[in-house]
Each structure stands twice: as structure tokens, then as C-alpha cells.
Amino acid sequence: MTTESPHFGSTHDGDHPDRVDEWAAMRQKHLRAAADRPTSSARGVHHQALISSNVERTIDFYQGLLEFPLTELFENRDYEGSTHFFFDIGNSNALAFFDFPGLELEEYAEVLGGHHHLAISVSPDNWDRLRRKLEAAGVEMFVVGGSSLYCAGPDGERIELISDPLGEMDGMAVL
């Protein structure tokens, strides 16, 4: 089911001031040409960690529907009885989850500085196939520009499947 959602980028919510001049000034002040940028101190994303309320349901969604292989599952070193499990999302990157039995965690609430969504690059062929699988499973989603598919995971976590290559967005290099 493909729909539009105000939670994923509707342009009709809130105040939308013209910020073109502000962005140009920030680019001028902070953005360096690729040849002038220093090398990053980071090697890459080791893993993005999210919280799962149900390990089996999370595995069914990420491994079963999205085809991200489960690569490891063990007890969380920080919380006794908690499961820490990982999925391969390509390019030596992992998506990890914890469950926290007994903590009675509340539902997600968007806050400043909080997680908005995780964008995962997939090939155009995989993007089309995964869109069809999600649709067949009745997962609500919406598509932007024919290259970004937004949906929610089993606990409401926001996922974007994007068919743009790594380091690009809408044909523009971002890395």
C-alpha cells in the first residue's frame, strides 16, 4: 500500500520559509571543495543500534522481507537478559537491535537530536523487488521521486530504501 504520510516528508506541514539564501551562506562558510577536504577521522558506520520489542518479529521483517541476513545474535553486554543481534546491510555495515525485557519502554517519540530515519542504499532492481514484497505484505509505505521508499519497521522505526548509489542523492554527490 503506497501512500503519502506527513511523518515522512509531506511538504504541507508546518512553516516552510524560503531558506535558499541561508543555505548558500552556510555552504560558502563551511563547505570545502572535495580536493580541499581533509580525510575523515572515521572508518565508517560500525552499526546503527535500534530497539526491538520482539526479536522474532524483527528478524522476520529485516531478514524475511528486506533480505538483510542475520549475522549474529548474543546477550547484550550492557543489560543481562537482553538480546543483541545484527543484520548485514552491505558494504561492511551492520544494523543492530537490542531487546530490553522488563524495562517497559514507551513508544517512540520524535525529539530534536533523535533518530528520524535510516536510509539504506539498494540497487534499482532490488528496490523494485523489495517494494513489491513490502506491498504484498501490506506494509504501508510511500515513494518519493521514484528512488526513495519510506516505511516503518515492526516497532515504528523509520526506514528509507533508496536506489541512489552510495554517496549520491538525486544525482548529486554528497560524499
Side-chain angles (χ1 to χ4, degrees):
M1 163 186 353
T2 304
T3 63
E4 288 206 21
S5 167
H7 302 289
F8 285 112
S10 168
T11 59
H12 302 291
D13 59 335
D15 184 24
H16 295 277
D18 181 348
R19 298 181 63 196
V20 172
D21 292 339
E22 177 186 356
W23 295 326
M26 283 192 277
R27 275 190 204 93
Q28 179 69 34
K29 180 178 178 183
H30 299 289
L31 191 59
R32 298 177 185 169
D36 297 331
R37 285 183 213 142
T39 302
S40 175
S41 63
R43 293 189 297 188
V45 174
H46 187 279
H47 67 275
Q48 165 79 34
L50 300 173
I51 298 173
S52 167
S53 67
N54 182 303
V55 175
E56 288 283 344
R57 185 178 67 186
T58 301
I59 293 170
D60 288 345
F61 183 83
Y62 286 96
Q63 181 167 261
L65 275 177
L66 295 184
E67 302 174 11
F68 302 160
L70 180 69
T71 60
E72 189 54 270
L73 183 147
F74 50 83
E75 184 174 54
N76 176 6
R77 66 182 177 195
D78 302 326
Y79 187 85
E80 189 176 326
S82 168
T83 311
H84 195 183
F85 53 111
F86 297 79
F87 298 93
D88 179 355
I89 58 171
N91 205 39
S92 298
N93 291 288
L95 179 59
F97 285 86
F98 298 103
D99 68 344
F100 291 110
L103 280 187
E104 305 299 326
L105 298 174
E106 295 180 23
E107 287 189 28
Y108 171 82
E110 189 165 301
V111 296
L112 290 175
H115 173 83
H116 185 269
H117 73 274
L118 175 63
I120 299 172
S121 178
V122 296
S123 72
D125 289 343
N126 284 339
W127 188 90
D128 286 330
R129 188 170 41 70
L130 294 172
R131 180 186 50 77
R132 289 190 303 273
K133 282 182 75 173
L134 290 165
E135 225 165 33
V139 174
E140 186 175 336
M141 67 183 118
F142 84 102
V143 174
V144 174
S147 63
S148 288
L149 176 157
Y150 294 85
C151 68
D155 286 300
E157 64 276 18
R158 296 173 183 163
I159 303 295
E160 174 187 7
L161 299 179
I162 185 168
S163 62
D164 290 343
L166 291 171
E168 290 184 25
M169 185 153 189
D170 297 331
M172 179 174 63
V174 296
L175 282 179

